[in-house]
Amino acid sequence: MLKGIGVSDGIGIGNALLIEEHSLEYTPKAVENTEAEINRFNEAVDTFCKNTKKQAEALKASAGEKEAEIMIGHISIVKDPYLLGEIEKLISKGQCAESAFESMCDTFISIFSSTDDEVTKQRAADVRDVKAEVLKILLGINDVKISKAPKKTILVAKELTPSMTAEINKENIVGIVTETGSNTSHSAILAKVLEIPAVMSVPGVMEQIKNGDTVIVDGNKGDVLSSPDKAQLESYTARSKQLLQERRELEKFRGKITVSGDGERFELVCNIGKPEDAAQALEFDGEGVGLFRTEFLFMDKTSVPSEEEQFKEYKKAALILKGKPLIIRTLDIGGDKDIPYLGLAKEENPFMGFRAIRYCLKNRELFKLQLRAILRASAFGNISIMFPLITCVEELRESKALVEEIKSELRSEKIDFDENIKTGIMVETAAAGVIADVLAKESDFFSIGTNDLTGYTMACDRGNSDVSYLYSALQPSVLRMIKRTIACGKKNNIPVGMCGEAAADPMMIPLLISFGLSEFSVSAPSVLKVRKCISNWSKQKADEVAEKVMSLDTKQDIYEYLKTVI
Ligand code: PEP
Ligand code: MG
């Protein structure tokens, strides 16, 4: 059995289709009819542009505009007049199209890769992609057509690129296995959205699996079985049927409100990274958006998006949600999220360093730009503003003062905005949890970010496998932090939500109900599962479980006990 990271739930059983990288080797030859060679090259460019446009359209439909833009960018690379002119000159001197094109691409790649700037380096990767695609056309290499894959296909690839994802037909592709990628990689997020079981980061998978092999992909556990025996096939087929049945049963919860077994109402909303995801949130029956991670808008660009650009994006999300809640989190960069054009200095300890609200409060023009865009968009929907990484009340006060400053600017400019817009904070640092009583007095709402709160409470980097045994929201310390935060919010009559991954964990749900959480913000495909889970608990049953859990001393004891009750 091969082991990787399960990034998209479910079990897929089918036949392997290996997406192999072709050798692009050729022997350069001198050409005599240079005009015909130039024509051959131009035809290859046209074919490339046509293919790419098609892929971009497919990607736009399946994954959204942002992903499609990356592909359109590839067309502008190959249509660059300087590049085309130089290639023509080389062919006119007798070089074949392959070598003229390759040598010009290599020149660009080496210029782009020699800089320290990450965005320019990314351009080198784009040129490399374009070079490979155009060379394939010139050399007459036929790629495996993913769009033509037969039913029950398991895609096996070194990595899943956006152009490959664009070709996936959900009816035929029943599983994905890749050698690279992780839970938060772009391709993993797409696999989740497409609801195809996927396992990534499987070392040496291209050598271990052959075309046509029967393969089982267990996206829940991260297991991949190649050429399974009869007993394994039977047991996974049964499990797969059971999971499908469970998924079908979840449909009962579509269109319903989110209530516990004894009728208490909860809000069940989604985490999104771009405006188009708001539509997906609604498709999965989310009741709004509890966290819009705006840093992704900044990451996709080569310079700070203007107020107008940001305004359009926030307004788009607000309009899609038609009055349903939309909590927009202000820029949360630093730590593991770099935005190269902002020129953040390399830090010894980036998670403890100059990030999120700290960066924004020191770069006021950028912060004000974003706040103006959000406030303007608030005229078009039910928007709230959320500040990340708050550790002391001064940060909250300063941020709120800026919001007030911009509100009065907008008033004097006679620009509409929601006068009653709410401002809340992420409780995701140990400091914020400890002074939740103070912060609750000046916040309109809390949202608990357990992804960071766990790390900061346990003093434990979630990316470091040597300390991953400590990283769990079920740690008694983290549970106390959560309980306290909710209690402080309740005491001050403000709603408390959770937007960290723990909000969708069936083991956490009874505890959160008992502590008094009012809003669960989860990834869109988890909505129905969480709604069902909430419906299984009454307050009294949840209280009994929580009381027992809070009497236990270790994460392991808590885990073992919760396993017996869910
Ligand atoms: C969190 O820290 O729990 C959170 C939701 O924010 P992010 O994952 O974006 O850091
Ligand atoms: Mg966080």
Side-chain angles (χ1 to χ4, degrees):
M1 186 193 301
L2 305 171
K3 272 266 172 218
I5 304 170
V7 299
S8 178
D9 282 356
I11 288 172
I13 304 176
N15 301 316
L17 175 66
L18 266 66
I19 312 297
E20 280 171 292
E21 284 164 4
H22 292 282
S23 153
L24 295 175
E25 306 243 315
Y26 60 90
T27 315
K29 40 185 194 289
V31 290
E32 281 174 12
N33 187 345
T34 54
E35 207 174 306
E37 190 67 356
I38 289 173
N39 283 343
R40 186 168 79 88
F41 172 69
N42 286 335
E43 275 168 23
V45 169
D46 284 348
T47 308
F48 169 81
C49 293
K50 246 190 259 157
N51 295 348
T52 308
K53 241 187 230 152
K54 247 196 243 159
Q55 287 174 343
E57 270 156 30
L59 199 59
K60 194 171 163 185
S62 66
E65 225 157 281
K66 276 263 142 49
E67 280 71 15
E69 270 171 25
I70 301 171
M71 312 239 52
I72 296 295
H74 286 187
I75 296 181
S76 43
I77 291 175
V78 86
K79 286 278 192 188
D80 183 88
Y82 174 74
L83 179 82
L84 289 177
E86 291 302 301
I87 292 169
E88 255 194 64
K89 273 190 218 159
L90 291 175
I91 300 179
S92 301
K93 284 183 193 153
Q95 272 196 35
C96 66
E98 287 86 349
S99 90
F101 178 66
E102 184 168 28
S103 68
M104 278 315 296
C105 286
D106 287 345
T107 308
F108 276 96
I109 292 168
S110 77
I111 295 171
F112 290 155
S113 348
S114 63
T115 69
D116 286 333
D117 175 53
E118 286 304 319
V119 176
T120 314
K121 276 196 178 138
Q122 178 56 41
R123 280 202 60 79
D126 289 335
V127 178
R128 229 174 261 127
D129 270 6
V130 171
K131 176 177 119 176
E133 292 306 314
V134 174
L135 276 179
K136 271 185 217 161
I137 297 169
L138 284 168
L139 295 167
I141 293 171
N142 276 325
D143 264 342
V144 177
K145 282 267 163 279
I146 297 177
S147 58
K148 302 246 162 69
K151 285 206 177 303
K152 289 194 181 296
T153 292
I154 304 274
L155 280 187
V156 182
K158 210 171 179 78
E159 75 170 309
L160 196 66
T161 62
S163 54
M164 284 156 74
T165 324
E167 289 194 34
I168 288 180
N169 173 354
K170 253 177 83 165
E171 300 300 308
N172 296 359
I173 309 294
V174 294
I176 296 170
V177 187
T178 62
E179 220 169 277
T180 58
S182 70
N183 198 18
T184 50
S185 67
H186 186 81
S187 43
I189 291 165
L190 283 168
K192 264 185 244 183
V193 172
L194 294 168
E195 296 183 273
I196 299 175
V199 177
M200 297 189 168
S201 232
V202 185
V205 70
M206 297 296 282
E207 284 79 51
Q208 314 256 8
I209 295 179
K210 303 269 164 298
N211 263 318
D213 281 357
T214 301
V215 173
I216 298 175
V217 179
D218 183 342
N220 296 57
K221 294 208 180 116
D223 294 341
V224 178
L225 284 83
S226 145
S227 306
D229 61 30
K230 195 162 165 264
Q232 285 170 323
L233 256 180
E234 277 170 8
S235 113
Y236 275 94
T237 306
R239 175 90 187 105
S240 157
K241 279 196 186 132
Q242 189 192 342
L243 285 176
L244 276 175
Q245 184 56 25
E246 280 172 22
R247 200 178 276 183
R248 250 179 253 129
E249 276 170 19
L250 284 180
E251 286 301 312
K252 278 200 309 224
F253 291 87
R254 186 177 289 280
K256 301 274 163 45
I257 51 168
T258 306
V259 277
S260 61
D262 53 348
E264 193 184 341
R265 178 87 168 84
F266 293 89
E267 215 179 324
L268 179 52
V269 287
C270 297
N271 297 341
I272 66 169
K274 53 185 194 298
E276 297 78 25
D277 295 346
Q280 200 213 5
L282 296 183
E283 249 166 62
F284 281 92
D285 215 28
E287 298 159 22
V289 166
L291 167 66
F292 181 173
R293 291 180 163 103
T294 57
E295 48 280 5
F296 291 107
L297 296 181
F298 287 67
M299 281 179 188
D300 284 353
K301 296 269 186 298
T302 49
S303 60
V304 175
S306 66
E307 176 188 323
E308 204 53 33
E309 275 179 275
Q310 291 189 52
F311 163 65
K312 280 192 188 140
E313 303 278 13
Y314 305 144
K315 178 181 163 188
K316 196 194 282 178
L319 290 178
I320 291 173
L321 291 167
K322 294 197 177 81
K324 292 195 163 75
L326 168 61
I327 300 182
I328 302 183
R329 178 175 74 185
T330 59
L331 187 61
D332 182 11
I333 36 121
D336 57 345
K337 294 180 209 146
D338 190 18
I339 298 182
Y341 60 78
L342 291 181
L344 296 175
K346 287 262 170 294
E347 292 176 285
E348 287 271 314
N349 210 339
F351 278 96
M352 302 283 172
F354 192 40
R355 55 171 301 206
I357 200 70
R358 303 169 182 184
Y359 179 88
C360 286
L361 287 171
K362 286 270 159 17
N363 289 275
R364 286 182 178 241
E365 287 319 306
L366 176 136
F367 196 18
K368 280 169 81 173
L369 201 78
Q370 182 174 39
L371 292 173
R372 257 185 83 97
I374 300 175
L375 277 164
R376 285 176 54 199
S378 71
F380 299 88
N382 179 3
I383 292 180
S384 304
I385 302 176
M386 178 154 75
F387 303 116
L389 206 83
I390 295 290
T391 52
C392 56
V393 77
E394 293 91 321
E395 288 168 337
L396 174 59
R397 286 180 189 157
E398 263 189 74
S399 304
K400 284 174 64 178
L402 267 186
V403 171
E404 289 309 316
E405 192 180 313
I406 293 163
K407 277 183 177 178
S408 65
E409 263 176 39
L410 292 176
R411 262 181 227 118
S412 60
E413 292 169 41
K414 305 230 174 319
I415 296 177
D416 281 346
F417 65 94
D418 176 5
E419 284 282 356
N420 301 314
I421 192 164
K422 303 247 183 306
T423 47
I425 64 164
M426 299 269 307
V427 177
E428 56 180 343
T429 62
V434 171
I435 59 158
D437 53 334
V438 179
L439 293 166
K441 294 197 173 71
E442 303 189 28
S443 305
D444 292 327
F445 62 90
F446 283 163
S447 184
I448 305 176
T450 45
N451 305 346
D452 277 320
L453 184 63
T454 304
Y456 288 124
T457 302
M458 294 302 297
C460 152
D461 173 356
R462 71 204 209 210
N464 182 340
S465 57
D466 289 334
V467 293
S468 62
Y469 69 99
L470 291 168
Y471 183 86
S472 165
L474 292 178
Q475 287 282 4
S477 56
V478 182
L479 290 177
R480 277 162 178 70
M481 208 56 111
I482 294 170
K483 185 175 179 190
R484 172 178 168 72
T485 302
I486 299 174
C488 292
K490 282 181 74 132
K491 196 161 171 215
N492 288 278
N493 289 319
I494 61 165
V496 183
M498 178 176 285
C499 57
E501 292 303 307
D505 181 350
M507 287 198 177
M508 286 294 291
I509 287 174
L511 309 179
L512 299 174
I513 291 175
S514 170
F515 297 161
L517 196 82
S518 53
E519 175 232 55
F520 293 74
S521 193
V522 302
S523 74
S526 305
V527 166
L528 295 183
K529 209 167 67 183
V530 172
R531 187 172 289 147
K532 177 181 177 199
C533 196
I534 291 174
S535 77
N536 287 339
W537 292 96
S538 67
K539 179 79 166 61
Q540 193 194 339
K541 247 171 62 192
D543 281 347
E544 282 163 23
V545 169
E547 195 183 331
K548 173 73 182 169
V549 161
M550 297 311 274
S551 75
L552 298 171
D553 296 338
T554 70
K555 171 198 84 173
Q556 197 54 31
D557 289 348
I558 292 172
Y559 175 78
E560 296 299 338
Y561 165 68
L562 285 173
K563 253 195 341 198
T564 67
V565 298
I566 61 162

